[in-house]
Every structure is written in structure tokens, then in C-alpha cells.
Amino acid sequence: MAGTARYLRYILFAFVCIIVIFFISSSSSGPRQHLQSASDILKEQSSKWRGSDAQTPAKADAEKAGSAATAHVRPAAATPMSATTPNLKAGLPPPKADGSHMNATFVTLARNSDVWEIARSIRQVEDRFNKRYNYDWVFLNDAPFDDTFKKVTSALTSGNAKYGLIPEQHWSFPSFIDQERAAAVREDMRERKIIYGDSISYRHMCRYESGFFFRHPLMLEYEWYWRVEPSIELFCDIEYDTFRFMAENKKKYSFVLSLYEYVETIPTLWESVKGFIKEHPEHIVENNSMGFLSDDGGKSYNHCHFWSNFEIGNLDWLRSKAYVDYFDHLDHDGGFFYERWGDAPVHSIAAGLMLRKDELHFFNDIAYYHVPFTHCPTDEQVRLNNKCHCNPKDNFDWNGYSCTSRFFEINSMKKPEGWEKQQ
């Protein structure tokens, strides 16, 4: 009897197991609801932050085809829908800044050998600023850009990348220059170990940046420019449109660093400037920045200038009759070749004399490095607000060789708290 009961229990247990297995198998064979992994969620949210669906193969192919052209044109970004509005409270930047774009571009004078140095600069500018605005980028060279340069740089720029060849007449000795005299000057500067003193290409570069880059056919399309050079660094986020700021505040020229020019490179520059002032007094405006340039009312030049490897400025001003007359006067005096005039003092003197003080701007919040000088905002809160990673001890603004204090003084600007500690 006991044996029979034990067998019945075994049979009952086996029957229950069969029923359980049946329910499990039927559940798994039906439709399954997918439980998203963390990576799936991030992928989904990423497409929402971009404001569009993931790129289709057709769109990818079109983009590749476009990148092979001389002007690398980006497809228009899709308009973000309300359902895909980025979560700004989480600190995520919008896919693109709101509002219409200014007619502006970055501009870089570079050679093919500069590709990796300029790639670093582009990445800095894109990450800190241009990923929000997608402004174009114009590259200029006195020789054709090679495929590597175009491929690397166009992959990094969020706006359209354009590549221009500098006309030979803008990168050569003008007919009025005495070649023997110019060669003798270069040899003398080489012996005196003056930086770039024996370089022909450096002189062509300074002359081109002073008088021709804004007249290149590619640049004629734009009203505003931001000059970027190889191997620069931006230390802070720039969360507003600098071009729009310039326009809305009626600024025409801006800087982040200022210093004294090498005296040996510009011995007669100011005499040439005074000749221009005498010839064209109509181009000199009232309430200008002569006090930044001269300590004696214009009799002599104190050698202060804005460091022009960073500039945000108005191209219409550079193309104006006043500026072109100024450049032509200096050019025919020959100092680009008989001395070693740089584009920085040439631009700075023009801005100081032909623009009102209130048309110049110091971008304190754009922390910047170009060997060997750094601008790092003195105010700690500015650095924290803009996620800066520069060391304030490296700030050059209040150094004795800087002219930024002079700019503050002539404009009655209050220096930031703690500036004395950075002298």
C-alpha cells in the first residue's frame, strides 16, 4: 500500500513539472517585450539630442560625395521637434544655437605641412564654440592644398570648408621694391639675430595679412571673420555668438592679447603712418585710441599693438577706402621688405586711428593661448562659469610687457579684482 502511495506521489510530481514547463515554454514562444539596455537608451537619446534620426546610408553617401569637392558643403541640419528637445538641465548643449546666423567665417592662412597643427586648432574652436553655430571655414595658401589637408580639415569643421589659392601678385615682391636693398636688409637682420629677420616668406605673409586676405574671392562672400592660426588653444566655453555680439554692439575689431612690438622690426613704421595722416586727415576719426598707440599725442609710437593671431573683425571696414588707402600708403613706403613690418602693428594702428574707441572690444571671456602668451580671465567666477581650464598664473594681461592695462586706462575700464597679483 505504501509502495502504491509513493508511486502516485511520483506521478503527481511529474505531472506538475510538465504543467510548469508548458507555461514557461508558451510564454517564451510568444511576443517578447524588449527591455532596453543602458547603451540602447543612450543611443536613442543621442539621436534625439541631434534633433534628427540616425543618418541613413543615402545621406552618408551624399555627405562623402560632397567632401570630395573644393568647397565641402554640409547638408542642412534637420529642425529639432518639440519631442526631441534636449534636456538642458542635464547640462547637455543644444544641437545648434537658435536664431539666424551672421554672415561670418573663420579664416586660416596655412600650408599643407601645417595640417596637424591646424587640426588641433580646429578641434579647439569646434568643441568650445562652433559646434553650436556651424560657421564656415576658409583656408588660404600660396600653393594648392593637397588631399590630406582637405580630408583632415573638412572632417573636423562643422560648417562648410573652403580652400583658396592666394594670387601670385599678392605673395611676391611688388615692382616698386628694390630687390638688392631688400636682400641686404635680410642679411643684416640675420646677423643681428632678429626673429624672422632673414625670412622672405614671413614678409609675404605679413603683407598679405595686412592688405589682401580680406580681398580674396572666397572672403568677399562674408561680412565678419575670426582669424585662427595653427596650434592655438581655447580654454573656456563660448556659449554666445561672438559675431552677433560684435554686430549688435557696433564693434569692428577685437583682441584678447596685446603687447609691445620688436622695435628693430619697425624703425620707420610710425613715420610712414604720420605721412598717411598728413595725406589723408579725413580718415582719422574723433575719439580714437591714439592714447593706446602713443604717449605724446602722436609724435612717436610706443609700439603697443593687438596680437593679431587672434582677431574677430568686420571685413567691410578692412575693405573700406580708409583702410585700403592706409595699406597702399604703407605698402609703397616699402617697410614690409626694407624692414620687417608685421601685420599686428599695421592692423592695430589702423584700428586705433580709424575706429572710435567704442568700436574696439577686448574679449576677456575668450581664454586663449598662442605660443608663448596666454590670456586667462583674472576673475575666478568667469573661469568657473565658462568651464575654463587655464591656469590664472599664466595670464599675460597685467605683465609689464602687455599693453592691456593701457587699453583699460584709455577706456576708463575697471580692472578685475586680483589683477595686481598677476603683474
Side-chain angles (χ1 to χ4, degrees), residues 53-331:
D53 295 332
Q55 189 180 51
T56 63
K59 288 172 69 177
D61 291 341
E63 208 168 339
K64 289 179 181 179
S67 67
T70 301
H72 298 260
V73 181
R74 303 285 181 189
T79 303
M81 299 178 65
S82 58
T84 61
T85 300
N87 182 5
L88 298 179
K89 291 184 179 180
L92 298 168
K96 192 171 180 180
D98 294 332
S100 60
H101 271 31
M102 300 298 292
N103 185 16
T105 185
F106 296 95
V107 59
T108 293
L109 188 62
R111 288 180 168 168
N112 290 315
S113 58
D114 297 323
V115 61
W116 300 115
E117 287 75 18
I118 195 59
R120 173 184 172 184
S121 298
I122 295 170
R123 190 68 199 217
Q124 294 276 330
V125 173
E126 290 290 336
D127 288 351
R128 288 298 196 173
F129 171 77
N130 202 39
K131 66 183 180 183
R132 301 177 184 88
Y133 299 99
N134 309 149
Y135 280 111
D136 292 351
W137 207 303
V138 173
F139 299 93
L140 301 174
N141 190 355
D142 64 312
F145 283 108
D146 60 28
D147 290 340
T148 297
F149 189 98
K150 292 181 179 179
K151 182 165 56 177
V152 170
T153 54
S154 63
L156 293 171
T157 56
S158 59
N160 299 325
K162 303 179 181 182
Y163 303 88
L165 181 64
I166 296 172
E168 183 178 357
Q169 65 268 28
H170 294 167
W171 197 275
S172 58
F173 291 97
S175 59
F176 51 80
I177 292 298
D178 183 335
Q179 296 272 5
E180 292 184 4
R181 179 183 171 188
V185 167
R186 294 195 301 274
E187 177 59 24
D188 173 66
M189 287 192 171
R190 184 190 67 79
E191 293 177 355
R192 289 191 286 146
K193 294 181 171 54
I194 295 175
I195 186 169
Y196 303 121
D198 62 340
S199 173
I200 295 177
S201 62
Y202 189 82
R203 286 173 166 82
H204 288 322
M205 182 274 290
C206 289
R207 180 173 179 254
Y208 185 77
E209 293 280 25
S210 296
F212 297 109
F213 85 92
F214 49 86
R215 294 188 259 191
H216 191 281
L218 289 178
M219 295 300 292
L220 294 177
E221 302 176 22
Y222 301 99
E223 182 183 359
W224 300 92
Y225 75 101
W226 179 336
R227 177 171 164 181
V228 179
E229 295 206 351
S231 297
I232 61 102
E233 190 163 1
L234 294 180
F235 297 105
C236 303
D237 285 349
I238 307 166
E239 297 187 341
Y240 63 97
D241 189 334
T242 56
F243 300 116
R244 182 169 295 282
F245 171 88
M246 294 284 286
E248 291 180 349
N249 290 278
K250 296 180 171 56
K251 306 293 184 181
K252 293 185 178 178
Y253 189 82
S254 63
F255 72 101
V256 293
L257 285 163
S258 67
L259 63 157
Y260 293 93
E261 179 62 299
Y262 295 108
V263 178
E264 295 85 355
T265 65
I266 55 167
T268 69
L269 174 58
W270 193 249
E271 290 303 314
S272 181
V273 170
K274 289 198 290 186
F276 164 75
I277 294 173
K278 184 177 180 179
E279 184 177 335
H280 291 286
E282 72 277 12
H283 294 330
I284 310 304
V285 304
E286 294 183 2
N287 197 27
N288 61 30
S289 299
M290 177 66 84
F292 179 79
L293 304 170
S294 176
D295 301 332
D296 53 18
K299 294 179 181 177
S300 63
Y301 178 37
N302 62 22
H303 308 114
C304 277
H305 68 278
F306 309 121
W307 216 21
S308 60
N309 47 67
F310 172 98
E311 293 177 324
I312 299 177
N314 183 269
L315 290 162
D316 289 340
W317 170 60
L318 291 176
R319 291 189 285 254
S320 69
K321 186 178 189 306
Y323 185 86
V324 172
D325 283 348
Y326 165 78
F327 170 75
D328 287 346
H329 182 95
L330 268 57
D331 194 30

